[in-house]
Structure formats: C-alpha cells, structure tokens
Amino acid sequence: MHHVVTQNQSSHVKIHCDTTSPGPVTWKFNGADLEQVDFAYHQEQLDLMVEDVDQPMLGEYSCWRNGVELSSTHLLEENVVNDEHFKSFLRCWAKSYDCHFSCEWNHSVYSTVRLGLGSNCSQGLTSCQWVQSSHRTLKGKLHFDVAHHLTPFAEETDVLTLTVEAFADHYSILRRTRHFFLRDIIQPDSPDIVKCEEEGIALNVTIEPPSSWSRPHSFFQLEHEIEYVSRDNGEHGTTTSILIPQGVSRLRVRSRDPLVMSRWSHWSKWKNVTDALSCV
C-alpha cells in the first residue's frame, strides 16, 4: 500500500509499517537500507520516527520482512498556492447531467496528477478510488473523466468533493479540495442548426440539441442564442428566439441550461443561408 504523508519542514514525522503480522521489520529509504542514510531517525517496533525533516529526508520509506515489502509511505513537502492560482490550474465541466464529468489540468510543472471524488479522498483514506489522466490534449493539458452517482431527475442537494493531488517531483505535492454542485459546471456541447424555413417576414430556425445532452429533451430543456449576419450591411445581431430576420447571409448558435443559468456552449460552426433559405 502507498500512503502519502505531507509535513512541513523542521518537524518530526512518525511513519507506521502497515502490517497485522507480528515480528521485527527493516526499513529502506528510496530503495536503500536505512542504515546507509545520513540523517536522524529512531525505530520503535512498527513505527519509524524521522527527526527534523528537511529536503534530504523526503522520499519513499518502505518496511520489509524476510525480503518482502509490507508497505511504503512517501514523505513529501506540501506546496502551497492561493485559491486564485489553483483555480487556474484545474477546469471541470459536464456536458450533461449523465454519470460523469471532465476536468483538465494545465500546469506543466506538475508531471503526475490524480483526482479523487468523495470524502474518502479529501480525508486521505486508502479506500479512495483515484482517477488518473486518460490522455494529454494537443495543448499539453491532462484530461480526466470522473464518474459520479448523482441522479439527474432529482433536485440536486449533494455537493461534489473533488480532491487533487499533483506531484511536481519525487519530493513535493500539491493537494487541494474543491466543492461544487454538478449544476455549477454544466456546459453543453454545441447544438446543430438543421433547418431554416421562411415564416412570414422572418426566418424560422430549427435547432437540434447536441447528441451528448441529457434525455428526454422535453425534461432537460435548453435555451438557444442565435448570432446572424445581415447580407446587406454585414452587421451582426443576436436573439434567443428561433425567429430571425430574413436577408441574413450566415448564422450560428450556442446553448445553455436556463434553469441553472449554466455556462454557454461554444458556438456552432457558421452556416451559410442560401437564396433557397437552406442552411448549409
């Protein structure tokens, strides 16, 4: 088992060998016998006391018996950043009210990052199910897919607790916890313009919700905003109505959940409006 211990410098740390079987144990530091290190420590049965912790003492401590590793503990220095900086490191969003959301980590100094959802992770319990990055984006950001168990058809009362552990090297860690409702991070994918029809002096635009949006659409409704460009003078206009003036050269659309006033989706691609009033 691997435990992460964070501790300020110039203090004493007790490291416990996680085993239920009796008998003496030996300790290693970063894979070497502890007797070879040049710093102060004291061993008492299954506990190891590291004294006056400083940079040379940071690393992995493992306990062994008869050539078998019983447990290991990483002693790390905790990095401290303010809330504003931390918010810029991590962005989370949910495309719908389905059973997962996504996060991106964009700080390249931290080479290894993991996320944990739930109070077990925020309390540092070993039962935490950590989520590793699924891939790195083209811009070098780490992408995470996090599953949750909230029901989309009930009023949301449970706050999501997301813990981040980011390792800058083998000796330092940034650990922070964020609390938010799923509704706070809702951001739909871009919708699609499927049809344009003449209706009196206006143009009626038919908009299809994104395929990733929660169903049924009659229950999970979206508000749409259309941006259009006049064919005569090139001026831009916007409206949340599906009726726009005739005589436009192109248009695009974005969506949001009006009940929670979610973030707007990204704009869809521009579509040209032909003389036959079709959107292509």
Side-chain angles (χ1 to χ4, degrees):
M1 299 176 64
H2 292 269
H3 306 282
V4 176
V5 177
T6 59
Q7 187 72 30
N8 294 327
Q9 293 182 347
S10 301
S11 56
H12 305 290
V13 177
K14 179 185 288 187
I15 300 174
H16 181 69
C17 182
D18 191 5
T19 178
T20 57
S21 59
V25 298
T26 58
W27 289 87
K28 293 185 179 182
F29 174 65
N30 290 337
D33 291 338
L34 200 61
E35 290 81 1
Q36 302 176 14
V37 304
D38 186 22
F39 56 78
Y41 65 91
H42 177 68
Q43 182 177 350
E44 294 181 357
Q45 296 182 348
L46 298 180
D47 292 330
L48 181 73
M49 180 70 74
V50 183
E51 301 177 1
D52 299 323
V53 175
D54 206 343
Q55 182 71 31
M57 294 88 149
L58 302 177
E60 182 188 21
Y61 293 81
S62 56
C63 61
W64 297 71
R65 180 185 295 134
N66 298 327
V68 177
E69 180 179 333
L70 303 177
S71 69
S72 68
T73 298
H74 286 81
L75 181 58
L76 305 171
E77 178 183 1
E78 185 171 13
N79 291 346
V80 179
V81 296
N82 61 42
D83 289 340
E84 290 304 315
H85 281 155
F86 176 70
K87 289 179 181 178
S88 69
F89 298 165
L90 184 71
R91 182 177 74 93
C92 296
W93 71 96
K95 296 181 178 181
S96 69
Y97 292 95
D98 295 341
C99 299
H100 70 277
F101 60 89
S102 300
C103 294
E104 279 185 350
W105 178 267
N106 64 6
H107 201 298
S108 59
V109 169
Y110 297 91
S111 57
T112 304
V113 183
R114 63 181 185 176
L115 307 181
L117 187 65
S119 59
N120 288 351
C121 301
S122 63
Q123 296 170 12
L125 302 181
T126 57
S127 56
C128 171
Q129 299 296 314
W130 292 101
V131 178
Q132 307 294 334
S133 171
S134 61
H135 64 275
R136 189 179 293 272
T137 68
L138 294 177
K139 295 183 178 180
K141 301 177 182 180
L142 296 175
H143 183 92
F144 298 84
D145 294 305
V146 184
H148 65 83
H149 302 288
L150 301 178
T151 172
F153 296 100
E155 182 178 357
E156 187 181 8
T157 58
D158 295 332
V159 175
L160 295 171
T161 301
L162 183 69
T163 301
V164 182
E165 284 191 351
F167 301 85
D169 47 42
H170 297 296
Y171 311 109
S172 61
I173 182 176
L174 172 64
R175 174 189 279 161
R176 295 293 294 271
T177 299
R178 286 183 55 183
H179 304 278
F180 53 86
F181 289 102
L182 183 64
R183 60 176 177 263
D184 296 334
I185 62 170
I186 288 292
Q187 184 179 22
D189 279 334
S190 302
D192 189 30
I193 300 171
V194 297
K195 186 166 56 175
C196 299
E197 295 179 305
E198 186 176 341
E199 185 172 313
I201 62 173
L203 196 63
N204 190 320
V205 181
T206 301
I207 301 169
E208 183 71 24
S211 59
S212 57
W213 185 242
S214 302
R215 293 178 180 271
H217 293 158
S218 58
F219 184 84
F220 298 99
Q221 298 186 19
L222 287 174
E223 173 187 21
H224 306 297
E225 182 179 47
I226 301 173
E227 182 180 12
Y228 54 87
V229 180
S230 171
R231 182 178 287 111
D232 293 334
N233 54 24
E235 290 185 354
H236 288 241
T238 59
T239 180
T240 55
S241 169
I242 60 173
L243 298 177
I244 64 174
Q246 290 194 30
V248 302
S249 61
R250 57 179 184 159
L251 70 162
R252 63 179 182 174
V253 64
R254 63 179 182 173
S255 301
R256 70 177 177 183
D257 184 339
L259 294 180
V260 301
M261 299 300 287
S262 74
R263 286 180 278 183
W264 285 102
S265 71
H266 295 297
W267 287 103
S268 66
K269 294 182 179 180
W270 285 102
K271 284 203 170 185
N272 295 323
V273 181
T274 67
D275 292 336
L277 299 183
S278 63
C279 304
V280 295

